[in-house]
Structure formats: C-alpha cells, structure tokens
Amino acid sequence: MENQKNISEFILLGLSYNQNIHIFCFVFFLFCYLVLLIGNLLIHFSIQCSPLFNQPMYYFLSHLSLIDICYTSRITSKLIGDLLVERKTISYGDCMLQVLIMHFFGSTEIFILTDMVLDRYVAICKPLHYVIIMNRTRCNLLFLAAWAGGAVHSFPQLFIAIGLPFCGHHEIDHYFCDIFPLLKIACTYITGVLVTAFSGMVALVTFAVLFASYGILLLTLNNHSTKGRHKALSICGSHITVVILFFVPVIFIYLRHPNTFPEDKVFALFYTIIAPMFNPLSYTLRKAEMKNTLKKISIKLCFQRKHTFKEQIVQQRYLV
C-alpha cells in the first residue's frame, strides 16, 4: 500500500466532459463570481464606513459578506480557471487547503447565520431590552464563538483527509476537493460517521434550530402592528431565503452514507456560488437602510471624484 505522501497532485474531473458546456459555464460562473465579489465587498465596506456598523444586524452582515468572499474565492476561482483547460489538476497541499477552507468558512457562516437569527429574535420578541442584550461586547463574543465553532468543526475534517491513503488513485470526480470525493478514491474503507457527525448533523441541528426560531418569531408577530409585522417579515424573509439556499444542499450532501452522486456537483454549486451570490442581493434590496447607505456612499464617491478632477485641472493651469 502506497502512502498518501507519494501522491503529489490530484486530477479533478470537473462538472462535465462537454467542452461546449464548459464555455457556457465559464461565462456564467465568471458573471456569478463578479456579482458575488463586488456585491459582498460593497456591503462590507458600506457598513464599515457608515453608522450601520453600530447595529448588531449589520455588524453580523458585514462579517458574513467577508466570510462569503473568503469561502468562495478559493473554490470558485479554481473552478473558473479549470473550465479553460483540458487537464484539471490540483496539488496535494492545495487540495487539503480546499478541504480546510470549505469546512472552516462554511461552518463559520452557519454559526454567523445563527447569530443573525438570535439578533432578530431579541429585536422582535424583546424590543425594550434589545440594546442591553445585544450590546457590542456580546456581539463580539458571538462572532468569536462562530469562528471557534468553525475551527472545532473543520480541523477534524482536515485530519481525516490528511490521514487517507490513496494507493495511486488520484482522479477526483468533483470540481473541488471535499471529504466525500476523497473517501471515494481512498484505498481503505472509512465509515462516514465522523463526517456525518461533524458536517451533516451540525447542518441539520442548526437548520432545525433556525426554523424553530422563525416559528416562534412568526407567532410573536401576531401581537405587533401591521407596519411592524410587515417590516419584520421583510427582514426575516431575506434571511430565510439565504438559509434555505445554503442549508438544504449541505444537508442533502453530508447527511447520508459517504457515497458520491452526479447530482452532488449541482447541489454543491448552491452553497459554493449561488447562495453567497444571493446574500448581498437579498439583504440589500429588501432593506431601506442598506439602500440609503449605498446611495449616500455612491453620491459621496462621485462628489469626491469630481472635486479631485477639478483640483487636477486647477493644478495643471497653475503649472502652465
């Protein structure tokens, strides 16, 4: 039995063998990645440079946007580049890094979404005590807890992947490195109990807690005014959309026996590209405060650009 260290690289089989589909996918995913990158960067810096950062909801949203960028960039950029080449390879080290990034930032995003639900729960169910409960110290602790939870979840996955012997098998039937595709080509049988416990059960329990929280919130809204009910439903609606797009594919892939199916690649696209792309759209288009902040920042940038341009003209005239 050859040791896994004898394998220096893996071959990724990608999404499809059809080159025409590759061209279409390249254009589509490049567009999605640009929307994802620009949208999340715009949200992150808009919140950081505005008073919205002092509000817990936007504090978590700012970090969620940054996590989405880190979470998808390593996977999506590799996928886009591989669509232009015939032989898709990834080194052993980069493959293990992808496993770590996927599970670390993915699980951190799950816990950040949970923090955001907790924030909405306090805001709707205990509005008079909201400022006291969701103070900045507590928000920082919740954020650090999300990162700690991501580390606790991801490092066992990484150790499982590093410990796999491959016996010369190096063709991964996927477009990125993940624990189930690696288990498929390993030359030893390892049950997926640990993977299910660390990935599938975490996603399922968190998903159940989130929807139980939304159930309580919807029941609480009966005691609110029509205007307050509409505002709360608008905020929760965008969050529920993101949660469904992210959690349902994750649960489908990880909460089962460690086998791989062709449909896994399609479902993986939802939590690696589609859901992070819809995050800025869902949260920006449905929140008046966020739209107003983006308008103010755009106007401010345009004014500064015009002012800088006028100063350059004046300096040129003075030099002449």
Side-chain angles (χ1 to χ4, degrees):
M1 181 183 294
E2 297 180 10
N3 192 271
Q4 68 272 19
K5 293 181 180 179
N6 291 332
I7 292 182
S8 60
E9 67 177 17
F10 295 97
I11 297 176
L12 298 172
L13 299 183
L15 290 171
S16 172
Y17 298 102
N18 192 324
Q19 291 298 324
N20 294 327
I21 294 179
H22 283 188
I23 296 173
F24 169 79
C25 289
F26 171 79
V27 176
F28 177 71
F29 292 136
L30 180 60
F31 171 77
C32 290
Y33 181 64
L34 290 176
V35 171
L36 182 157
L37 189 62
I38 295 172
N40 282 293
L41 283 174
L42 189 61
I43 285 181
H44 177 73
F45 287 111
S46 298
I47 295 174
Q48 292 282 334
C49 301
S50 71
L52 291 178
F53 187 70
N54 297 321
Q55 300 182 29
M57 179 177 65
Y58 293 103
Y59 170 82
F60 291 125
L61 179 57
S62 172
H63 290 298
L64 180 67
S65 298
L66 192 61
I67 289 172
D68 275 335
I69 294 172
C70 299
Y71 171 66
T72 58
S73 291
R74 187 74 182 181
I75 307 300
T76 308
S77 59
K78 174 66 176 171
L79 169 62
I80 294 172
D82 284 344
L83 290 170
L84 298 177
V85 297
E86 184 176 352
R87 191 172 185 269
K88 307 166 183 60
T89 61
I90 183 171
S91 67
Y92 180 86
D94 286 343
C95 183
M96 297 301 110
L97 184 61
Q98 277 195 349
V99 173
L100 176 63
I101 288 175
M102 277 291 301
H103 288 274
F104 177 71
F105 287 109
S107 55
T108 303
E109 178 162 343
I110 287 175
F111 296 127
I112 290 289
L113 290 172
T114 306
D115 293 341
M116 295 176 72
V117 173
L118 175 62
D119 170 72
R120 290 300 87 203
Y121 175 83
V122 176
I124 295 173
C125 297
K126 297 183 179 180
L128 298 178
H129 301 89
Y130 176 72
V131 178
I132 298 174
I133 296 175
M134 297 301 296
N135 55 58
R136 181 44 58 93
T137 301
R138 186 157 289 150
C139 289
N140 289 333
L141 289 176
L142 289 172
F143 177 68
L144 290 176
W147 282 90
V152 170
H153 167 81
S154 60
F155 281 101
Q157 306 283 342
L158 176 64
F159 295 147
I160 291 174
I162 292 176
L164 291 175
F166 296 104
C167 306
H169 302 295
H170 60 284
E171 288 190 349
I172 300 176
D173 189 14
H174 217 299
Y175 62 89
F176 66 92
C177 287
D178 199 4
I179 194 70
F180 278 176
L182 288 173
L183 284 172
K184 185 178 180 180
I185 64 173
C187 59
T188 183
Y189 179 76
I190 299 179
T191 61
V193 174
L194 289 178
V195 178
T196 301
F198 282 107
S199 297
M201 291 306 299
V202 168
L204 181 63
V205 172
T206 308
F207 186 70
V209 170
L210 292 180
F211 264 80
S213 302
Y214 282 124
I216 297 173
L217 290 178
L218 293 176
L219 292 175
T220 307
L221 291 178
N222 293 327
N223 301 324
H224 287 67
S225 63
T226 304
K227 183 178 180 181
R229 191 182 303 118
H230 177 74
K231 182 178 180 181
L233 286 174
S234 177
I235 294 173
C236 293
S238 59
H239 199 270
I240 290 173
T241 302
V242 172
V243 166
I244 291 176
L245 285 175
F246 187 86
F247 277 88
V248 172
V250 170
I251 292 173
F252 173 82
I253 290 178
Y254 290 104
L255 196 65
R256 66 166 196 249
H257 190 272
N259 290 326
T260 57
F261 301 98
E263 296 81 7
D264 289 353
K265 300 177 186 180
V266 178
F267 278 94
L269 292 174
F270 279 90
Y271 60 82
T272 56
I273 301 176
I274 304 299
M277 181 186 68
F278 274 99
N279 276 357
L281 297 176
S282 299
Y283 287 112
T284 303
L285 297 179
R286 303 189 69 168
K287 287 184 174 61
E289 299 96 334
M290 196 68 222
K291 288 189 286 187
N292 292 333
T293 300
L294 291 175
K295 289 179 182 179
K296 290 178 182 178
I297 291 177
S298 300
I299 294 172
K300 185 177 180 180
L301 290 174
C302 291
F303 177 78
Q304 289 179 347
R305 183 176 295 179
K306 289 181 180 179
H307 185 69
T308 304
F309 182 69
K310 289 181 180 179
E311 287 184 347
Q312 290 177 351
I313 293 177
V314 171
Q315 290 177 357
Q316 289 178 356
R317 288 179 178 177
Y318 178 78
L319 292 174
V320 172

